[in-house]
Every structure is written in structure tokens, then in C-alpha cells.
Amino acid sequence: MKSQIDEKYFIEQIQDIKEALGEELIILTHHYQRKEIVDVGDYRGDSFGLSKTAAEDKAARFIVFCGVHFMAESAEILSQPHHTVQIPDQNAGCPMADMADIYNVERAWKDVASITGKDAIMPIAYMNSDARIKAFCGRHGGAVCTSSNALAAFGWGFGRREKIFFFPDKHLGYNTGNQMGIQPDEMIVWDPKKPLGGNTQESIKKAKVILWDGHCHVHTRFRVEHVLKMRKEYPEARIVVHPECTREVVELADEAGSTSFIVKYVENAPPDTTIIVGTEINLINRLALENPDKEVLELHYSLCPNMFKINLKNLLWSLENIGQANVITVPEAVKTDARIALDRMLALTD
Ligand code: 13P
Ligand code: SF4
């Protein structure tokens, strides 16, 4: 009862500030945010859609990003000079993004380039990465991608160079390579803790895709046994998963795609369909609520604790300290190079 009163109080305060600021403020909410955050936001979307909204917005001065840090950072890089981007909790990070740090990436790049020549490798960073990794890609002729345009980015990369070095999600990289028909023995994993990433000179020469050894702990929680169990219980159901899941899970599912793909998939399914979804639980719960004519079930319970750090309390605090609290800043040199890689991504999908 008390928490309901609190919630009502926070929502009213947030609405009052929104009203007072009018067009000067936009609140962006990622699909994995709690329902009450999505409800008070102005736009909801996947990491690609939200970064595009930030890039294209003209009216607002303040962008409050309800998502994880790399998303707010990308919005800041793409935003206009008159924007200030804030995140309600600076500690809402992404452990996968932290798996590729610039020191190890630069060392790996030198190692690979010494074997293949640098003109043979195209660096592509997943949006879920630090700004310095995006800047590295921008400097070396590469691009950023999200799960909604990874296939286009790989096609773009292979049109220009022989090999792709993909950071930091090995599963998205593998699943995308697989979709392009690249053979498993032409994709190698780079473990930064080992000499030559745990590979031989020969395997590096042969590889078409080099996958940084990173993963999302939320999406790798889905396992083959979960798919088999749900298939047995719901033989008529469709199973759709995010491509950050392992290749085994993706191969057993009916479809794999970005969060926006999953949203559209559920929305477009005929009434009475049962859809089993392998992604973050807050999105699945919302999809179930918003599509009462369908049965939307979780493949397995998996919550992103970092997305969950954003709540009504810290959102209200950001709004009360608009333009000041938890402002995202990126050093100018990093911003310039990262923007090149992000602009290449935006051009890809235009
Ligand atoms: P989207 O790019 O689909 O929004 O996914 C971001 C993410 O963090 C998935 O775990
Ligand atoms: Fe990062 Fe995974 Fe959370 Fe997405 S779901 S923000 S990849 S930890």
C-alpha cells in the first residue's frame, strides 16, 4: 500500500516537471525499463531507435535517458550542441560493454594487423560498447551497429575489407556471421587474456570473423533445455529470441531479432497465438499486458539488473536537477571519432 502511495506521488511530481518544461524536455525509455518508467516517458524504443531520436530532435534542451550508460553516451555523441543528456543512475552500466576495454582492443588490433595487414580488417563495434571503442572503429574506417542492423553492417564491412573484427558480443557476432553463411571454422573468438587471443597465426589468417570474447549475462541465461521444455509444453507456440543468446538457442528458436523486432513480431502475430520470448523480463511482461489477445510467455526468467536501477525516484531526482545531475560527458576527441562510426551506422539503415 505504502509503495503504491509513493509511486503515485513520484508520478505526479514527474508529470508536473514535464508540464513545466514542455518541449524543452524529452524522456527516452528503453524497452527493458520497468513499466512505470516507460509510462512516464515520451519515447520508447531499442538502442538504435532511441539514438536516432536523440540525433534528430530539434526542440528539446534536455534529454533524460532511461536505459544503461552506453545508450545515454551514444545519445550524447549523436545529440546537438544545445542538448544536455542525463541518466537517472550513473551506475546503470552494461557488464558486456565493459568486457572490451580500449587497451586490450588496441593490443589485439596490432596483433591481428601484424599477421593480416591492417587493410584486411574492418572493426565493427556493437552499440553496447564504451565510447572509446566506437571512436577506435571510427578512426580505423569501421562502424557501429545494433542488433537491428548487424547484418547490414557486416555486409557493409565485407564490401570493403576481407575480415571483420567484432566487439564485444561474441554471440551476436557469431549469429550474424552464421546468417551470412560464414562457416563456423571461419569465425574465431579472441580472448584478450591469452597470447594471440588464444588463436594461431594460421587460424587468424583463415578467419573471416574475429569475435571479441564478450557476452550478455542476461541473454546467455537462456539455455537449450529451456527451449526444449517450452517446445514440449507448447508445441504450437512460436519461439522468438534476441541474438545475444547463444547460437544453440538461436538455432532452436523460430526467429531471432532485436528488441524492436520482437515487439513487432508479437504485435503482428495473429490473435490467440502463443509466443515464447527469450529476452529481458520487463519487455516480456509489458508485451503480455499490451497484447491481451495473445499468450506471451517467458522462455525463462531473466532480468537485467542494470536496466532495473532506473526507477521513479532517481528519474524524479534527475528532473529536479535538470541540466545538472548525472550529465553525460564525452571528451571532444573521442566524440568526434565515435560520431564517425555512429553516423556510418545511421547511414546504413537510412
Ligand atoms: P537493442 O539494441 O535491441 O535495444 O538491445 C540492447 C541491449 O542491451 C540488449 O541486451
Ligand atoms: Fe547489457 Fe545484457 Fe543488460 Fe543489454 S541486457 S544492457 S547487453 S547486460
Side-chain angles (χ1 to χ4, degrees):
M1 189 64 189
K2 169 139 184 352
S3 75
Q4 268 176 352
I5 295 167
D6 285 351
E7 191 167 302
K8 194 166 168 280
Y9 168 80
F10 286 120
I11 292 171
E12 279 168 8
Q13 297 292 308
I14 288 169
Q15 297 298 7
D16 285 351
I17 298 179
K18 282 187 69 172
E19 214 169 291
L21 287 171
E23 284 197 341
E24 285 199 296
L25 166 72
I26 51 172
I27 300 178
L28 306 180
T29 67
H30 188 265
H31 282 307
Y32 295 168
Q33 290 293 299
R34 310 156 184 249
K35 183 182 177 302
E36 60 268 29
I37 292 290
V38 173
D39 288 347
V40 294
D42 298 303
Y43 297 93
R44 73 167 108 159
D46 65 0
S47 57
F48 175 72
L50 294 178
S51 63
K52 217 165 173 293
T53 304
E56 287 167 2
D57 177 82
K58 301 263 182 302
R61 274 172 63 207
F62 307 112
I63 298 177
V64 177
F65 203 116
C66 299
V68 288
H69 191 271
F70 74 81
M71 296 180 180
E73 193 177 60
S74 302
E76 160 59 19
I77 294 165
L78 284 168
S79 66
Q80 324 262 330
H82 66 278
H83 286 134
T84 302
V85 179
Q86 287 167 262
I87 186 166
D89 185 343
Q90 288 271 21
N91 295 318
C94 168
M96 175 165 77
D98 295 341
M99 288 175 194
D101 64 281
I102 190 64
Y103 313 107
N104 279 312
V105 164
E106 285 192 344
R107 182 164 303 123
W109 180 261
K110 278 191 197 131
D111 283 348
V112 177
S114 71
I115 294 165
T116 65
K118 67 174 170 28
D119 293 342
I121 348 159
M122 178 62 83
I124 299 186
Y126 191 21
M127 181 71 108
N128 303 36
S129 59
D130 185 84
R132 283 166 296 181
I133 305 296
K134 296 183 177 82
F136 173 87
C137 290
R139 274 199 303 285
H140 291 276
V144 171
C145 72
T146 69
S147 52
S148 61
N149 52 35
L151 193 62
F154 271 42
W156 174 89
F158 280 126
R160 285 158 181 81
R161 297 189 195 160
E162 205 185 295
K163 297 173 193 292
I164 285 176
F165 203 159
F166 186 68
F167 319 93
D169 185 11
K170 65 178 169 190
H171 299 297
L172 175 64
Y174 181 91
N175 291 324
T176 307
N178 191 30
Q179 234 181 320
M180 293 193 88
I182 297 169
Q183 296 305 306
D185 64 350
E186 294 172 319
M187 295 194 261
I188 57 172
V189 174
W190 190 277
D191 177 351
K193 295 184 293 306
K194 296 183 181 158
L196 286 187
N199 304 287
T200 61
Q201 293 219 6
E202 276 321 299
S203 65
I204 292 169
K205 277 185 200 150
K206 186 179 172 200
K208 287 204 176 132
V209 180
I210 305 170
L211 304 161
W212 195 260
D213 194 5
H215 68 275
C216 163
H217 68 292
V218 178
H219 286 93
T220 50
R221 211 169 277 147
F222 302 110
R223 293 195 306 270
V224 166
E225 61 256 38
H226 299 136
V227 184
L228 297 178
K229 178 177 166 279
M230 292 306 261
R231 278 252 188 258
K232 204 165 162 202
E233 267 177 57
Y234 301 91
E236 303 296 321
R238 306 291 294 166
I239 300 185
V240 56
V241 301
H242 195 280
E244 286 175 13
C245 295
T246 64
R247 69 171 104 159
E248 293 82 3
V249 167
V250 168
E251 277 164 14
L252 281 175
D254 298 302
E255 301 284 350
S258 70
T259 48
S260 287
F261 173 89
I262 294 172
V263 171
K264 282 190 211 112
Y265 187 85
V266 173
E267 283 170 358
N268 295 336
D272 299 324
T273 317
T274 299
I275 307 145
I276 295 164
V277 184
T279 193
E280 211 276 343
I281 193 68
N282 282 286
L283 173 57
I284 302 174
N285 288 343
R286 226 182 36 254
L287 285 172
L289 263 179
E290 290 173 0
N291 294 272
D293 58 333
K294 296 154 206 172
E295 188 178 29
V296 181
L297 303 171
E298 69 209 43
L299 180 57
H300 183 65
Y301 180 90
S302 193
L303 175 131
C304 176
N306 282 290
M307 286 281 183
F308 206 63
K309 283 181 182 157
I310 311 297
N311 54 39
L312 288 172
K313 215 178 211 173
N314 52 34
L315 172 58
L316 175 60
W317 180 76
S318 294
L319 298 178
E320 285 169 342
N321 294 281
I322 201 70
Q324 286 166 34
N326 290 349
V327 171
I328 305 282
T329 55
V330 181
E332 228 25 70
V334 175
K335 208 169 171 171
T336 306
D337 289 346
R339 177 143 197 156
I340 295 171
L342 279 160
D343 281 342
R344 285 192 186 117
M345 172 187 81
L346 293 176
L348 267 183
T349 29
D350 269 345

